[in-house]
Amino acid sequence: MSNYQKPLPVIQPHSAAFWEGTRQHKLMIQHCRDCDSNIFYPRKHCPECWSENLDWIESSGKAKVFSFSVTYEGLEPMFQQDLPIILAWVDLPEGVRMCTNLLNCDPDEIEIGMEVDVVFQQATEDITIPYFTPSSPVV
Ligand SMILES: [Zn+2]
């Protein structure tokens, strides 16, 4: 696992619970105890009411594609093996939107609103990265 060559996130105190969750194959999102907002990406304060009274909830990991873009060429060498890369925004039922990559997905079959599920790939001993994949194979 230590030969992972792509950029990695830097775990911060306010994001540590998120990355601990991904190591356990759980997609954790922040929840504001004061205004009831769900929050992604992890922050020190609620973006709605500026409260620091934040907690964590586990997302269902089921999302729908809000938008996407497919890259077929022109990336750094470290990403060449992954082409085509599908960059997508996905909406979770908890009311947050995540930027992610779609895996195991034919670029010609993606549709806005397509249902996708979270999957986890271990990059290093400390970092497991969440991605999304189609919920059911596209016929
Ligand atoms: Zn709040």
Side-chain angles (χ1 to χ4, degrees):
M1 291 295 171
S2 61
N3 60 356
Y4 188 84
Q5 299 295 316
K6 300 173 204 168
L8 288 167
V10 176
I11 298 175
Q12 304 286 336
H14 60 276
S15 66
F18 176 81
W19 296 110
E20 176 61 30
T22 61
R23 282 194 292 276
Q24 298 173 25
H25 291 196
K26 295 178 180 178
L27 190 64
M28 305 302 291
I29 57 178
Q30 282 178 308
H31 178 79
C32 177
R33 291 189 189 117
D34 287 339
C35 77
D36 221 25
S37 294
N38 290 330
I39 303 160
F40 185 84
Y41 52 89
R43 301 173 212 213
K44 297 176 184 173
H45 301 85
C46 171
E48 299 298 325
C49 74
W50 297 102
S51 170
E52 297 179 19
N53 189 15
L54 304 179
D55 200 358
W56 292 87
I57 61 172
E58 183 178 355
S59 167
S60 64
K62 296 187 174 299
K64 291 185 177 180
V65 173
F66 170 74
S67 188
F68 66 94
S69 176
V70 183
T71 300
Y72 292 94
E73 60 183 301
L75 292 178
E76 294 285 326
M78 70 181 82
F79 294 106
Q80 292 291 326
Q81 66 189 7
D82 300 332
L83 293 173
I85 292 177
I86 305 166
L87 180 68
W89 286 98
V90 300
D91 287 337
L92 291 157
E94 293 82 12
V96 299
R97 182 170 289 161
M98 284 186 186
C99 189
T100 186
N101 289 142
L102 300 184
L103 305 182
N104 303 316
C105 184
D106 182 342
D108 293 333
E109 304 294 338
I110 306 169
E111 295 180 355
I112 302 297
M114 187 172 78
E115 294 181 350
V116 292
D117 294 329
V118 70
V119 292
F120 297 93
Q121 287 192 353
Q122 185 176 7
T124 68
E125 188 173 317
D126 294 329
I127 301 290
T128 295
I129 301 174
Y131 298 98
F132 283 81
T133 188
S135 295
S136 53
V138 177
V139 178

